[in-house]
């Protein structure tokens, strides 16, 4: 699931920056900064947009930061691309249409069962054959509630939900993420954590206004 961050994109924008008149010889361009791993979100968004034919700059600026950092710097694509993927997944899960949901699954799909056993599924027909195991009611419920504001990111890995139960990964810079990992073990841990938190909150005095 690891990927080389922005390397093709760096090559694509180097030509554009070469056309900018030279100033101070010590001045670093966003290309230099990103290459060194010291990019600010504005630099990352500039590079992401350079690889996109259609852009939504205002949305991307307003929603770039989530738990874990800037979407653009961590994943190599924009918040608007994640939002489209999340909305499509959410609608597909709510529809109950297996075919719609399967179209949003990327290959190979990494499936981790409740015991932690990892299985890399490379064939879409195989995903369909074990669909009910992978997308059981609890996992479908997670997909039905997906929202960009609840996403976290991990550097060079992608965006995830519920302690890593669902991972969305980009296969090209500036592109749309796909569902690439379903981790039932992580979902069970997230559900247990939520139950423990609810139990702790039960019986606590409610402060009066």
């Amino acid at each position: 699931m690891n990927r080389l961050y922005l390397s093709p994109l760096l090559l694509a924008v180097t030509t554009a920056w070469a056309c900018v008149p030279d100033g101070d010889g010590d001045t670093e361009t966003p290309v230099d900064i990103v290459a060194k791993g010291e990019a600010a979100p504005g630099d990352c968004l500039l590079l992401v947009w350079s690889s996109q034919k259609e852009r939504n700059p205002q949305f991307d600026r307003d929603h770039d930061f989530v738990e874990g950092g800037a979407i653009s710097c961590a994943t190599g694509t924009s918040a608007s691309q994640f939002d489209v993927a999340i909305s499509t997944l959410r609608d597909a899960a709510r529809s109950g249409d297996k075919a719609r949901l399967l179209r949003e699954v990327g290959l190979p799909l990494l499936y981790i069962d409740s015991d932690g056993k990892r299985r890399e599924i490379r064939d879409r027909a195989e995903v369909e054959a074990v669909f009910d195991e992978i997308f059981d009611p609890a996992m479908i419920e997670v997909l039905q509630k997906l929202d960009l504001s609840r996403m976290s990111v991990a550097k060079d890995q992608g965006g995830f939900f519920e302690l890593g139960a669902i991972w969305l990964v980009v296969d090209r810079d500036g592109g749309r993420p796909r569902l690439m990992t379903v981790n039932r073990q992580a979902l069970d841990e997230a559900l247990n954590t939520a139950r423990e938190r609810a139990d702790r909150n039960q019986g606590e005095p409610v402060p009066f206004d």
Side-chain angles (χ1 to χ4, degrees):
M1 192 163 55
N2 291 334
R3 53 192 296 276
L4 292 176
Y5 174 60
L6 291 177
S7 54
L9 209 157
L10 288 173
L11 293 174
V13 299
T14 298
T15 302
W17 275 97
C19 298
V20 178
D22 290 336
D24 185 343
D26 295 330
T27 300
E28 289 184 315
T29 68
V31 172
D32 300 321
I33 296 169
V34 173
K36 291 168 60 178
E38 301 173 354
D43 301 318
C44 297
L45 281 172
L46 176 65
L47 293 173
V48 166
W49 291 333
S50 73
S51 67
Q52 295 177 335
K53 292 182 179 179
E54 297 183 4
R55 308 172 184 89
N56 193 339
Q58 192 60 55
F59 185 94
D60 292 341
R61 293 190 190 98
D62 291 345
H63 298 86
D64 197 32
F65 283 93
V66 294
E67 184 71 27
I71 292 172
S72 56
C73 291
T75 70
T77 197
S78 55
S80 55
Q81 289 291 332
F82 267 98
D83 192 55
V84 170
I86 289 167
S87 298
T88 304
L89 265 172
R90 185 174 61 231
D91 292 345
R94 290 174 178 176
S95 74
D97 187 336
K98 290 185 179 181
R100 285 182 62 181
L101 188 51
L102 282 169
R103 284 197 292 270
E104 303 309 311
V105 174
L107 296 176
L109 174 69
L110 176 62
Y111 172 56
I112 303 173
D113 67 18
S114 57
D115 295 322
K117 183 179 179 181
R118 302 165 66 92
R119 178 177 178 183
E120 196 170 80
I121 305 176
R122 297 184 172 275
D123 183 81
R124 198 164 298 280
E126 187 179 355
V127 177
E128 186 171 4
V130 293
F131 182 94
D132 292 336
E133 177 186 351
I134 299 174
F135 299 105
D136 66 358
M139 194 63 71
I140 290 293
E141 185 176 356
V142 170
L143 293 172
Q144 290 173 341
K145 296 178 179 179
L146 291 182
D147 189 270
L148 181 65
S149 64
R150 300 173 65 180
M151 186 177 79
S152 301
V153 292
K155 177 70 174 173
D156 300 337
Q157 296 185 56
F160 65 93
F161 299 85
E162 302 296 343
L163 301 181
I166 294 290
W167 281 86
L168 303 182
V169 180
V170 182
D171 63 0
R172 63 179 179 83
D173 292 305
R176 176 175 161 182
R178 303 293 298 275
L179 175 60
M180 297 298 294
T181 298
V182 177
N183 187 335
R184 183 52 202 253
Q185 186 179 49
L187 177 57
D188 289 344
E189 292 175 2
L191 293 173
N192 289 335
T193 299
R195 292 189 192 100
E196 290 172 1
R197 186 180 299 118
D199 290 342
R200 286 196 301 271
N201 291 337
Q202 286 181 357
E204 291 185 359
V206 178
F208 292 96
D209 294 331

